[in-house]
Protein backbone atom coordinates (compact mmCIF):
# COMPACT_ATOMS: atom_id res chain seq x y z
CA UNK A 1 0.00 0.00 0.00
CA UNK A 2 1.34 3.45 -0.90
CA UNK A 3 2.18 5.72 2.03
CA UNK A 4 -0.23 8.62 2.39
CA UNK A 5 1.59 11.93 1.75
CA UNK A 6 2.70 13.89 4.80
CA UNK A 7 0.08 16.33 5.95
CA UNK A 8 0.82 19.78 7.33
CA UNK A 9 -0.17 20.35 10.96
CA UNK A 10 -0.76 23.85 12.34
CA UNK A 11 -1.11 24.51 16.06
CA UNK A 12 -2.10 28.17 16.34
CA UNK A 13 -5.10 30.15 15.09
CA UNK A 14 -2.67 32.61 13.48
CA UNK A 15 -1.01 29.89 11.38
CA UNK A 16 -4.41 28.47 10.50
CA UNK A 17 -5.69 31.86 9.32
CA UNK A 18 -2.60 32.40 7.16
CA UNK A 19 -3.01 29.07 5.36
CA UNK A 20 -6.76 29.53 4.87
CA UNK A 21 -6.42 33.14 3.66
CA UNK A 22 -4.15 31.86 0.89
CA UNK A 23 -6.65 29.22 -0.14
CA UNK A 24 -9.47 31.74 -0.11
CA UNK A 25 -7.46 34.15 -2.31
CA UNK A 26 -7.05 31.27 -4.76
CA UNK A 27 -10.84 30.87 -4.81
CA UNK A 28 -11.00 27.54 -2.96
CA UNK A 29 -14.05 26.65 -0.86
CA UNK A 30 -13.02 25.37 2.57
CA UNK A 31 -14.54 22.46 4.51
CA UNK A 32 -14.05 21.93 8.25
CA UNK A 33 -14.22 18.56 10.03
CA UNK A 34 -13.97 18.91 13.84
CA UNK A 35 -12.93 15.76 15.76
CA UNK A 36 -11.41 14.76 19.07
CA UNK A 37 -9.18 12.14 17.41
CA UNK A 38 -9.28 8.41 18.19
CA UNK A 39 -10.19 8.17 14.54
CA UNK A 40 -12.30 5.46 12.91
CA UNK A 41 -14.16 5.09 9.62
CA UNK A 42 -17.00 7.31 10.92
CA UNK A 43 -14.67 10.30 11.21
CA UNK A 44 -13.06 9.47 7.88
CA UNK A 45 -16.46 9.45 6.15
CA UNK A 46 -16.79 13.11 7.20
CA UNK A 47 -13.36 13.92 5.75
CA UNK A 48 -14.15 12.11 2.50
CA UNK A 49 -17.47 13.93 2.20
CA UNK A 50 -15.75 17.27 2.81
CA UNK A 51 -13.06 16.48 0.23
CA UNK A 52 -15.85 15.72 -2.25
CA UNK A 53 -17.85 18.88 -1.49
CA UNK A 54 -15.08 21.45 -1.03
CA UNK A 55 -11.68 22.15 -2.60
CA UNK A 56 -9.76 22.24 0.71
CA UNK A 57 -10.49 20.25 3.86
CA UNK A 58 -9.24 21.20 7.31
CA UNK A 59 -9.56 18.45 9.91
CA UNK A 60 -9.22 19.43 13.56
CA UNK A 61 -7.86 17.41 16.47
CA UNK A 62 -8.79 18.77 19.89
CA UNK A 63 -9.91 16.83 22.94
CA UNK A 64 -12.17 19.51 24.40
CA UNK A 65 -11.92 19.51 28.20
CA UNK A 66 -15.14 21.53 28.51
CA UNK A 67 -17.35 18.78 27.16
CA UNK A 68 -16.27 16.15 29.69
CA UNK A 69 -18.03 16.00 33.04
CA UNK A 70 -16.37 15.03 36.35
CA UNK A 71 -15.62 11.30 36.32
CA UNK A 72 -15.86 11.08 32.51
CA UNK A 73 -12.97 9.86 30.35
CA UNK A 74 -11.09 13.11 29.52
CA UNK A 75 -7.77 11.78 30.88
CA UNK A 76 -8.00 8.38 29.21
CA UNK A 77 -9.58 9.49 25.90
CA UNK A 78 -7.56 7.86 23.07
CA UNK A 79 -4.79 10.20 21.85
CA UNK A 80 -2.47 9.17 19.00
CA UNK A 81 -1.75 12.20 16.83
CA UNK A 82 0.61 10.43 14.43
CA UNK A 83 -1.94 7.76 13.60
CA UNK A 84 -4.79 10.30 13.31
CA UNK A 85 -2.80 12.55 10.96
CA UNK A 86 -1.92 9.58 8.74
CA UNK A 87 -5.61 8.59 8.56
CA UNK A 88 -6.70 12.16 7.80
CA UNK A 89 -4.18 12.29 4.95
CA UNK A 90 -5.41 9.00 3.50
CA UNK A 91 -9.01 10.27 3.54
CA UNK A 92 -8.14 13.44 1.59
CA UNK A 93 -7.65 16.19 4.20
CA UNK A 94 -5.38 19.08 3.20
CA UNK A 95 -4.46 20.45 6.63
CA UNK A 96 -4.72 19.41 10.29
CA UNK A 97 -5.40 21.99 12.99
CA UNK A 98 -4.28 20.59 16.36
CA UNK A 99 -4.40 23.51 18.81
CA UNK A 100 -3.24 23.42 22.41
CA UNK A 101 -5.80 24.17 25.11
CA UNK A 102 -4.67 27.85 25.49
CA UNK A 103 -5.21 28.45 21.79
CA UNK A 104 -8.90 27.65 22.25
CA UNK A 105 -9.32 28.87 25.84
CA UNK A 106 -7.05 31.90 26.37
CA UNK A 107 -6.09 32.57 30.00
CA UNK A 108 -9.09 33.95 31.85
CA UNK A 109 -11.61 32.81 29.23
CA UNK A 110 -15.16 32.75 30.62
CA UNK A 111 -17.45 33.29 27.63
CA UNK A 112 -19.69 30.35 26.79
CA UNK A 113 -22.19 29.49 24.11
CA UNK A 114 -25.25 27.66 25.37
CA UNK A 115 -28.24 26.45 23.39
CA UNK A 116 -31.19 26.34 25.79
CA UNK A 117 -33.98 23.90 24.98
CA UNK A 118 -32.29 21.74 22.35
CA UNK A 119 -29.14 21.54 24.47
CA UNK A 120 -30.86 20.79 27.79
CA UNK A 121 -32.85 17.66 26.93
CA UNK A 122 -31.76 14.01 26.39
CA UNK A 123 -27.92 14.02 26.31
CA UNK A 124 -27.93 17.49 27.85
CA UNK A 125 -30.00 16.22 30.77
CA UNK A 126 -27.79 13.15 31.32
CA UNK A 127 -24.56 15.13 30.91
CA UNK A 128 -25.11 18.65 32.29
CA UNK A 129 -22.96 21.23 30.51
CA UNK A 130 -22.08 18.87 27.69
CA UNK A 131 -23.70 20.82 24.87
CA UNK A 132 -22.45 24.14 26.22
CA UNK A 133 -18.96 22.64 25.96
CA UNK A 134 -19.66 21.42 22.43
CA UNK A 135 -21.35 24.63 21.19
CA UNK A 136 -18.59 26.76 22.70
CA UNK A 137 -15.72 24.84 21.11
CA UNK A 138 -17.43 24.55 17.72
CA UNK A 139 -18.23 28.30 17.72
CA UNK A 140 -14.54 28.97 18.47
CA UNK A 141 -13.38 26.66 15.68
CA UNK A 142 -15.84 28.36 13.32
CA UNK A 143 -14.56 31.80 14.33
CA UNK A 144 -10.94 30.72 13.87
CA UNK A 145 -11.38 28.93 10.54
CA UNK A 146 -14.49 30.56 8.99
CA UNK A 147 -15.02 27.61 6.64
CA UNK A 148 -17.65 27.58 3.91
CA UNK A 149 -19.02 24.22 5.08
CA UNK A 150 -18.66 22.10 8.20
CA UNK A 151 -19.36 18.39 8.53
CA UNK A 152 -20.82 16.52 11.52
CA UNK A 153 -21.98 12.92 12.00
CA UNK A 154 -25.63 11.94 12.35
CA UNK A 155 -24.28 9.48 14.95
CA UNK A 156 -24.49 12.42 17.36
CA UNK A 157 -27.86 13.56 16.08
CA UNK A 158 -28.73 15.94 18.90
CA UNK A 159 -25.27 17.50 18.62
CA UNK A 160 -25.87 18.08 14.90
CA UNK A 161 -29.15 19.91 15.67
CA UNK A 162 -27.54 21.93 18.47
CA UNK A 163 -24.76 23.03 16.09
CA UNK A 164 -27.24 23.96 13.34
CA UNK A 165 -29.15 26.12 15.86
CA UNK A 166 -25.95 27.71 17.22
CA UNK A 167 -24.61 28.51 13.74
CA UNK A 168 -27.91 30.10 12.68
CA UNK A 169 -28.31 32.02 15.95
CA UNK A 170 -24.76 33.42 15.86
CA UNK A 171 -25.02 34.31 12.14
CA UNK A 172 -22.13 32.11 11.03
CA UNK A 173 -22.34 32.01 7.21
CA UNK A 174 -21.37 28.33 7.26
CA UNK A 175 -23.37 25.47 5.72
CA UNK A 176 -23.76 22.64 8.24
CA UNK A 177 -23.87 19.19 6.67
CA UNK A 178 -24.86 15.96 8.46
CA UNK A 179 -23.19 12.73 7.34
CA UNK A 180 -24.92 9.33 7.79
CA UNK A 181 -23.72 7.07 10.62
CA UNK A 182 -21.03 4.54 9.72
CA UNK A 183 -21.66 1.12 11.31
CA UNK A 184 -19.96 -2.24 11.71
CA UNK A 185 -21.46 -5.19 9.81
CA UNK A 186 -23.56 -6.14 12.85
CA UNK A 187 -25.07 -2.64 13.05
CA UNK A 188 -23.04 -1.21 15.96
CA UNK A 189 -22.32 2.47 15.23
CA UNK A 190 -18.58 3.16 15.18
CA UNK A 191 -17.45 5.11 18.23
CA UNK A 192 -14.09 5.77 19.87
CA UNK A 193 -15.67 4.48 23.08
CA UNK A 194 -16.45 1.03 21.62
CA UNK A 195 -12.84 0.21 22.51
CA UNK A 196 -13.90 0.19 26.18
CA UNK A 197 -16.33 -2.75 25.66
CA UNK A 198 -15.36 -6.21 26.96
CA UNK A 199 -15.71 -9.17 24.62
CA UNK A 200 -19.06 -10.11 26.10
CA UNK A 201 -20.33 -6.53 26.07
CA UNK A 202 -19.30 -6.19 22.42
CA UNK A 203 -21.62 -9.11 21.60
CA UNK A 204 -24.56 -7.39 23.29
CA UNK A 205 -23.86 -3.90 21.90
CA UNK A 206 -25.51 -4.34 18.43
CA UNK A 207 -28.87 -4.83 20.21
CA UNK A 208 -28.98 -1.04 20.61
CA UNK A 209 -29.23 -0.47 16.86
CA UNK A 210 -31.46 -3.53 16.37
CA UNK A 211 -33.85 -2.21 18.99
CA UNK A 212 -34.14 1.39 17.84
CA UNK A 213 -34.57 0.21 14.26
CA UNK A 214 -37.41 -2.08 15.36
CA UNK A 215 -39.01 0.83 17.25
CA UNK A 216 -38.71 3.05 14.16
CA UNK A 217 -40.32 0.39 11.96
CA UNK A 218 -43.21 -0.21 14.34
CA UNK A 219 -43.88 3.49 14.79
CA UNK A 220 -43.76 3.98 11.01
CA UNK A 221 -46.33 1.17 10.75
CA UNK A 222 -48.67 3.01 13.13
CA UNK A 223 -47.49 1.92 16.60
CA UNK A 224 -47.78 4.46 19.43
CA UNK A 225 -44.42 6.21 20.02
CA UNK A 226 -44.55 5.99 23.84
CA UNK A 227 -45.63 2.34 23.88
CA UNK A 228 -43.02 1.31 21.31
CA UNK A 229 -40.29 3.23 23.13
CA UNK A 230 -41.20 1.44 26.39
CA UNK A 231 -41.12 -1.92 24.58
CA UNK A 232 -37.69 -1.03 23.17
CA UNK A 233 -36.39 -0.12 26.61
CA UNK A 234 -37.48 -3.51 28.01
CA UNK A 235 -35.81 -5.25 25.09
CA UNK A 236 -32.48 -3.50 25.79
CA UNK A 237 -32.55 -4.50 29.46
CA UNK A 238 -33.35 -8.10 28.49
CA UNK A 239 -30.46 -8.06 26.01
CA UNK A 240 -28.06 -7.26 28.88
CA UNK A 241 -27.81 -3.46 29.00
CA UNK A 242 -27.36 -2.30 32.60
CA UNK A 243 -29.53 0.82 32.25
CA UNK A 244 -31.33 2.84 29.61
CA UNK A 245 -30.83 6.59 30.04
CA UNK A 246 -33.47 7.29 27.39
CA UNK A 247 -35.12 5.69 24.40
CA UNK A 248 -37.57 8.05 22.78
CA UNK A 249 -39.25 9.07 19.54
CA UNK A 250 -38.78 12.76 18.78
CA UNK A 251 -39.48 15.34 16.11
CA UNK A 252 -36.32 15.26 13.98
CA UNK A 253 -35.81 19.04 13.98
CA UNK A 254 -36.95 20.28 17.39
CA UNK A 255 -36.33 16.99 19.26
CA UNK A 256 -39.62 17.61 21.08
CA UNK A 257 -41.70 14.50 21.89
CA UNK A 258 -43.97 13.49 19.00
CA UNK A 259 -47.72 13.32 19.64
CA UNK A 260 -49.29 9.87 20.09
CA UNK A 261 -51.13 10.21 16.78
CA UNK A 262 -48.12 11.49 14.96
CA UNK A 263 -48.34 8.75 12.29
CA UNK A 264 -50.67 11.01 10.29
CA UNK A 265 -48.61 14.18 10.68
CA UNK A 266 -45.96 13.30 8.11
CA UNK A 267 -43.31 15.26 10.10
CA UNK A 268 -39.87 13.59 10.12
CA UNK A 269 -39.16 11.79 13.38
CA UNK A 270 -36.13 10.17 14.94
CA UNK A 271 -35.65 7.41 17.50
CA UNK A 272 -32.83 8.35 19.88
CA UNK A 273 -31.35 6.22 22.65
CA UNK A 274 -28.57 6.15 25.22
CA UNK A 275 -27.89 3.02 27.25
CA UNK A 276 -25.17 1.68 29.47
CA UNK A 277 -23.33 -1.55 28.96
CA UNK A 278 -21.11 -2.17 31.97
CA UNK A 279 -19.18 1.08 32.42
CA UNK A 280 -19.61 2.17 28.81
CA UNK A 281 -22.36 4.49 27.65
CA UNK A 282 -23.51 4.01 24.05
CA UNK A 283 -25.76 6.33 22.03
CA UNK A 284 -27.43 5.79 18.69
CA UNK A 285 -30.35 7.04 16.62
CA UNK A 286 -32.28 6.25 13.44
CA UNK A 287 -34.88 7.95 11.26
CA UNK A 288 -38.49 6.75 11.51
P1 LIG B 1 -15.83 13.01 18.04
O1 LIG B 1 -14.38 12.90 17.71
O2 LIG B 1 -16.37 11.83 18.77
O3 LIG B 1 -16.20 14.32 18.65
O4 LIG B 1 -16.58 12.98 16.65
C1 LIG B 1 -16.22 13.85 15.61
C2 LIG B 1 -17.26 13.81 14.53
O5 LIG B 1 -17.35 12.47 14.00
C3 LIG B 1 -18.66 14.17 15.03
O6 LIG B 1 -19.28 14.99 14.06
C4 LIG B 1 -19.33 12.83 15.12
O7 LIG B 1 -20.74 12.89 14.99
C5 LIG B 1 -18.70 12.09 13.96
N1 LIG B 1 -18.84 10.63 14.10
C6 LIG B 1 -18.48 9.88 15.18
N2 LIG B 1 -18.81 8.58 14.99
C7 LIG B 1 -19.40 8.51 13.76
C8 LIG B 1 -19.97 7.45 12.99
N3 LIG B 1 -20.01 6.19 13.42
N4 LIG B 1 -20.49 7.76 11.78
C9 LIG B 1 -20.47 9.04 11.31
N5 LIG B 1 -19.94 10.08 11.99
C10 LIG B 1 -19.42 9.83 13.19
Amino acid sequence: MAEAPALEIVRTAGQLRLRLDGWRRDGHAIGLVPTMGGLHEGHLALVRRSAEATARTVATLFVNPKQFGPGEDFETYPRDEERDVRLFAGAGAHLVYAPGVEEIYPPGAVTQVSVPGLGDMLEGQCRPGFFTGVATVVAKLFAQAMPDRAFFGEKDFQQLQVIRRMAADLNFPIAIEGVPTVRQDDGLALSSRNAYLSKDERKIAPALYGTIRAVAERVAAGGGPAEEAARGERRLLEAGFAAVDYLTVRDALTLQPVPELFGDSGAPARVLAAARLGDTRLIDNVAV
Side-chain angles (χ1 to χ4, degrees), residues 73-99:
D73 53 348
F74 175 69
E75 302 296 337
T76 53
Y77 201 82
R79 289 169 174 86
D80 185 346
E81 183 178 284
E82 217 178 287
R83 170 180 180 274
D84 289 342
V85 170
R86 192 168 7 98
L87 291 172
F88 278 145
H94 299 86
L95 184 70
V96 174
Y97 178 45

Side-chain angles (χ1 to χ4, degrees), residues 21-252:
D21 282 350
W23 286 343
R24 253 180 231 112
R25 267 198 305 277
D26 293 339
H28 296 312
I30 294 166
L32 185 77
V33 179
T35 83
M36 299 203 298
L39 299 185
H40 52 62
E41 280 298 316
H43 300 108
L44 300 181
L46 305 185
V47 176
R48 291 194 191 100
R49 175 65 199 132
S50 174
E52 206 173 83
T54 65
R56 292 289 180 273
T57 291
V58 182
T60 77
L61 269 182
F62 181 66
V63 185
N64 175 29
K66 303 274 185 206
Q67 69 186 72
F68 288 79
E72 289 189 349
D73 53 348
F74 175 69
E75 302 296 337
T76 53
Y77 201 82
R79 289 169 174 86
D80 185 346
E81 183 178 284
E82 217 178 287
R83 170 180 180 274
D84 289 342
V85 170
R86 192 168 7 98
L87 291 172
F88 278 145
H94 299 86
L95 184 70
V96 174
Y97 178 45
V101 173
E102 324 70 49
E103 203 60 26
I104 300 289
Y105 301 104
V110 292
T111 304
Q112 295 184 323
V113 179
S114 67
V115 183
L118 262 180
D120 297 329
M121 58 176 83
L122 306 174
E123 281 301 287
Q125 201 168 357
C126 300
R127 305 173 71 187
F130 172 69
F131 283 119
T132 296
V134 169
T136 301
V137 78
V138 173
K140 284 163 170 278
L141 292 171
F142 282 2
Q144 291 183 341
M146 276 298 179
D148 298 280
R149 309 182 76 80
F151 300 82
F152 297 88
E154 287 185 351
K155 159 77 174 26
D156 302 286
F157 193 78
Q158 186 179 3
Q159 170 172 286
L160 173 62
Q161 302 305 13
V162 165
I163 289 166
R164 285 190 201 283
R165 184 76 259 161
M166 178 277 289
D169 290 359
L170 297 185
N171 313 97
F172 281 114
I174 298 169
I176 309 298
E177 192 177 319
V179 176
T181 304
V182 179
R183 302 178 180 282
Q184 309 237 262
D185 289 342
D186 60 11
L188 177 65
L190 296 186
S191 163
S192 313
R193 293 187 169 115
N194 291 350
Y196 303 152
L197 297 171
S198 72
K199 220 169 147 193
D200 287 342
E201 289 164 352
R202 177 63 189 80
K203 282 189 204 139
I204 298 169
L208 180 58
Y209 175 59
T211 300
I212 57 174
R213 220 176 54 166
V215 170
E217 279 165 12
R218 296 177 70 105
V219 170
E227 187 190 329
E228 296 305 336
R231 191 201 300 269
E233 191 167 329
R234 286 195 299 275
R235 183 170 150 182
L236 284 181
L237 295 172
E238 279 160 23
F241 279 81
V244 179
D245 286 349
Y246 58 83
L247 192 167
T248 180
V249 187
R250 297 290 171 111
D251 179 281

